[in-house]
Amino acid sequence: MVAPIIELRDVRKSFGPVDVLKGVNLKVYPGQVSALVGDNGAGKSTLIKGLAGVQPYDSGETLIDGSPAHLATPKEASRLGIEVVYQDLALCENLDIVQNMFLGREETHQGTLSNGEMEKHASATLGSLSVRTMKSVRQKVSSLSGGQRQTVAIARAVLQKAKVVILDEPTAALGVAQTEQVLNLVRRLADQGVGVLIISHNLADVFQVADHINVLYLGTMVAQLETKETNNNDVIGYITGLKSVEPSAAGAAR
């Protein structure tokens, strides 16, 4: 069986007297899409912030490629190959695609920006993901559609040689065609061997693109399911608390 890129074991996080994560287990595999679902307040954002190094877990174990890791800062998470695409995308509308993809990580030569090299690398990255919807990598982000902006944000993560890309509600507020474009891109990303963790409230999107579905309920991982072996009603049951904790979720993940 393929070894996970990321494995969380019994991770916990509290804010004062409130226990937000209560011993959560999770695995993310190379070349596969894992979905994380749950109602508002389930702990999804806190779990992701721990992986991103924004809010380190209080306890538990984080393994990257089988080795213990302490994700104390976003820079450390990025160094270990974890990139997060947040819902707001963190793009600068007044800059072009190349400038956004290298924002804060610009390539230089003898103190001068290597614009030609950055443009070449940006184009190659978009090409590797079979992205053909951009007229030019020198387009301003302000001229792009929602789906195209999501594509730029994902390509920026790929450009950093990410082992795992975490996508926070990547299809929120997108139309049907743009949603299909982004989901196809997510699948192509996994086909390149990248581990993808997608957080979404849209179960139709989850069932279309995910290999595994992880359900959080009030800080507890109540189910870890193979997508092809479950259905919409079962997942909704776990999300709403109508179905009880699965044995596999209560112990080690999958």
Side-chain angles (χ1 to χ4, degrees), residues 207-225:
F207 274 91
Q208 180 175 337
V209 77
D211 299 294
H212 315 286
I213 302 174
N214 304 273
V215 187
L216 271 177
Y217 178 73
L218 297 179
T220 299
M221 190 69 78
V222 293
Q224 295 177 305
L225 311 162

Side-chain angles (χ1 to χ4, degrees), residues 18-76:
V18 180
D19 296 327
V20 181
L21 298 177
K22 306 169 185 177
V24 172
N25 299 306
L26 176 71
K27 291 181 181 180
V28 179
Y29 294 90
Q32 297 183 26
V33 180
S34 296
L36 180 64
V37 301
D39 211 346
N40 292 335
K44 302 187 302 298
S45 294
T46 302
L47 188 69
I48 295 314
K49 287 177 180 177
L51 278 173
V54 176
Q55 290 177 341
Y57 305 124
D58 294 336
S59 63
E61 193 173 12
T62 302
L63 303 177
I64 308 293
D65 288 329
S67 300
H70 180 57
L71 305 175
T73 65
K75 186 174 182 179
E76 177 67 10

Side-chain angles (χ1 to χ4, degrees), residues 176-251:
V176 175
Q178 294 178 355
T179 293
E180 190 70 18
Q181 172 190 332
V182 170
L183 293 180
N184 288 338
L185 178 60
V186 170
R187 219 33 276 180
R188 290 197 296 271
L189 189 59
D191 289 343
Q192 291 189 357
V194 176
V196 181
L197 181 61
I198 181 171
I199 298 89
S200 180
H201 282 94
N202 191 320
L203 291 185
D205 292 352
V206 167
F207 274 91
Q208 180 175 337
V209 77
D211 299 294
H212 315 286
I213 302 174
N214 304 273
V215 187
L216 271 177
Y217 178 73
L218 297 179
T220 299
M221 190 69 78
V222 293
Q224 295 177 305
L225 311 162
E226 301 294 326
T227 305
K228 61 186 178 183
E229 296 175 0
T230 190
N231 58 60
N232 197 74
N233 288 336
D234 277 347
V235 174
I236 290 174
Y238 286 116
I239 289 174
T240 57
L242 295 177
K243 290 178 72 73
S244 59
V245 178
E246 283 209 332
S248 60

Side-chain angles (χ1 to χ4, degrees), residues 14 76 78 86 122 130 162 198-199:
S14 298
E76 177 67 10
S78 181
Y86 292 103
S130 301
I198 181 171
I199 298 89

Side-chain angles (χ1 to χ4, degrees), residues 77-94:
S78 181
R79 186 185 69 79
L80 291 171
I82 301 171
E83 295 289 336
V84 184
V85 179
Y86 292 103
Q87 192 170 347
D88 63 7
L89 302 182
L91 298 175
C92 295
E93 293 200 355
N94 61 319

